[in-house]
Amino acid sequence: EAIAEAEEALTKAIREDSSNLNAWIALFQLHAEIREDRQRAFNEMQKLSEQLSIDPLQKSFVLAQLNAAIGENTRAGELYERSIELAERAAPAVRSTVYLTAVGFLSTRRLERALELCRDLIVEVPESSVANIYLIRLLAMQDTRESLDEAVELQREIVATVGTSDQEQTRLLARLLAARAKLDELKQQTPIKSGRQIAAAIKRRMTSDYRPKASSSHRDQSEAIRLLESLVPRTADDAEMLAELYHERGQSLRAFNFYRESLRLEVPPPDHLVRFLDFWNEAYAVEGTYKPIADQYSGDLESYPDVASEWLRVSLQRVEREASATSESASSGEGSKNKSAAEVLDRFI
């Protein structure tokens, strides 16, 4: 009886306001989860939607969101495409709502289609700042040099308009620049194999007029650092990005200080602890510098059972690095390493 009353109340709510997405979802869940009849849930939704005397666009749009919410992504995609088609004749505000909601759904499923919709909307409604923000984020997700170039330029325009006092926009520009720098660094890591190439490079550096040029990645890193350091107050994520940028530039002490700032600004989540310990293993484990701090954060990471495998990985990596620094004989060093590794495994088990 209580279930029947709930069904009646939800059906009434939908008839009074067909755009009430929460009521649609609740009614679906009532059939699918409480009555444990998912097919009946679909049938009841279809029957109710056919009975409602509402605009076809509104019906299609609500059903698209409903299907997305319940995990019926194929059907949701079809309904979003139908909604987009119907929205072509709608008012600009309605078209913007439909397009942007569809973009949010498609961004993780059909990125190219989401980009196409964003561009179409910007052409039709140039003043849509939300569409421009969506476009920038989609371009960043595409993660190509061309897409990041476009995203950076679009974001520069926004920052130039709103000013650097808008910290969220400044933060986004810094992150786009850092992403572009990282992409360029990866492309530049092609090893030189030819002896002739090596000889030519050495000869060029020996000429009196040789001046090393700042790479585009170096310039992007510098600008990203400047923008992030201008933020007041900084977030933990800001400080961690600064640490990563300084680490990429070989400035370990600055990187260490910003990692510490990041870990002090909030209760550090496990992924932040892992990134700090990876950095410490690479930069300082051999010399043992700041070892008590590394011990502290390693202990913090060990307290998270869900990431025990990551704690084991960074701990064994540390054993490897520390063992390589021993001044004892090779056999003694190997024995010390094996003992330390055994202790780590005992704690893990």
Side-chain angles (χ1 to χ4, degrees):
E1 184 179 340
I3 294 175
E5 289 177 2
E7 180 181 0
E8 183 180 348
L10 290 168
T11 302
K12 181 181 178 183
I14 292 170
R15 292 189 187 281
E16 291 175 353
D17 178 10
S18 58
S19 66
N20 187 341
L21 186 60
N22 289 332
W24 282 96
I25 294 172
L27 185 58
F28 178 89
Q29 290 173 332
L30 184 147
H31 291 298
E33 298 174 15
I34 298 177
R35 287 183 170 153
E36 299 182 344
D37 190 344
R38 193 172 178 86
Q39 188 55 51
R40 178 180 174 182
F42 283 115
N43 294 340
E44 291 295 329
M45 294 297 99
Q46 185 62 34
K47 187 192 302 182
L48 181 57
S49 68
E50 290 170 355
Q51 291 172 355
L52 294 173
S53 300
I54 59 174
D55 176 74
L57 169 58
Q58 186 180 12
K59 180 187 293 188
S60 178
F61 186 46
V62 169
L63 290 175
Q65 295 172 85
L66 170 64
N67 278 271
I70 62 178
E72 294 294 324
N73 294 331
T74 301
R75 180 62 179 149
E78 294 169 354
L79 287 162
Y80 272 123
E81 290 295 345
R82 174 63 177 156
S83 301
I84 291 163
E85 182 183 334
L86 292 169
E88 290 176 1
R89 299 181 291 277
V94 173
R95 188 159 62 251
S96 292
T97 299
V98 171
Y99 275 35
L100 292 174
T101 307
V103 164
F105 172 79
L106 293 167
S107 62
T108 56
R109 298 169 178 87
R110 294 171 58 200
L111 183 55
E112 292 295 335
R113 177 59 173 147
L115 279 163
E116 179 188 356
L117 284 175
C118 256
R119 294 189 193 282
D120 288 347
L121 183 58
I122 289 169
V123 169
E124 295 176 26
V125 191
E127 66 275 13
S128 175
S129 58
V130 178
N132 277 286
I133 291 170
Y134 264 90
L135 177 59
I136 290 166
R137 295 185 185 278
L138 292 171
L139 288 166
M141 289 170 64
Q142 203 171 26
D143 200 27
T144 66
R145 188 55 160 83
E146 295 74 18
S147 67
L148 287 171
D149 282 347
E150 185 179 356
V152 166
E153 292 314 307
L154 288 170
Q155 189 60 24
R156 281 195 200 283
E157 292 175 11
I158 291 175
V159 172
T161 301
V162 302
T164 53
S165 60
D166 188 324
Q167 296 210 351
E168 285 307 310
Q169 300 301 336
T170 300
R171 183 174 285 115
L172 178 54
L173 177 56
R175 292 186 176 280
L176 290 169
L177 288 162
R180 188 168 70 176
K182 183 167 287 188
L183 190 65
D184 285 347
E185 287 290 330
L186 289 173
K187 287 182 178 179
Q188 291 167 12
Q189 288 174 4
T190 304
I192 296 175
K193 297 180 181 179
S194 164
R196 185 177 298 175
Q197 286 178 301
I198 295 171
I202 293 171
K203 184 177 180 180
R204 188 169 62 253
R205 282 159 174 74
M206 291 176 68
T207 59
S208 59
D209 60 345
Y210 172 73
R211 295 290 186 277
K213 293 182 179 178
S215 66
S216 59
S217 62
H218 192 276
R219 289 193 297 272
D220 281 348
Q221 286 174 348
S222 296
E223 187 176 358
I225 287 170
R226 178 181 62 78
L227 291 169
L228 288 167
E229 288 186 337
S230 74
L231 298 175
V232 180
R234 278 193 290 269
T235 66
D237 286 338
D238 296 335
E240 187 182 62
M241 176 156 283
L242 280 164
E244 290 171 358
L245 287 165
Y246 276 119
H247 183 206
E248 287 165 11
R249 301 182 79 165
Q251 296 178 253
S252 296
L253 182 57
R254 282 181 178 268
F256 176 82
N257 287 334
F258 277 115
Y259 269 120
R260 288 277 283 156
E261 179 181 327
S262 170
L263 296 171
R264 286 192 191 107
L265 284 170
E266 62 179 13
V267 176
D271 56 327
H272 285 218
L273 292 168
V274 168
R275 286 193 285 272
F276 168 77
L277 291 168
D278 275 332
F279 158 76
W280 186 86
N281 283 342
E282 180 181 334
Y284 291 119
V286 170
E287 295 83 6
T289 313
Y290 307 121
K291 185 175 180 293
I293 295 171
D295 290 341
Q296 173 196 333
Y297 289 128
S298 178
D300 291 345
L301 182 63
E302 190 178 7
S303 69
Y304 290 98
D306 292 344
V307 291
S309 60
E310 279 294 274
W311 174 83
L312 178 63
R313 180 186 64 78
V314 295
S315 298
L316 291 175
Q317 182 186 68
R318 174 176 173 173
V319 168
E320 182 76 30
R321 297 283 290 173
E322 289 175 338
S324 69
T326 184
S327 59
E328 300 171 357
S329 67
S331 59
S332 174
E334 187 65 28
S336 174
K337 171 183 168 182
N338 290 338
K339 181 180 178 182
S340 299
E343 290 171 353
V344 167
L345 289 170
D346 284 344
R347 289 169 64 182
F348 176 72
I349 294 167

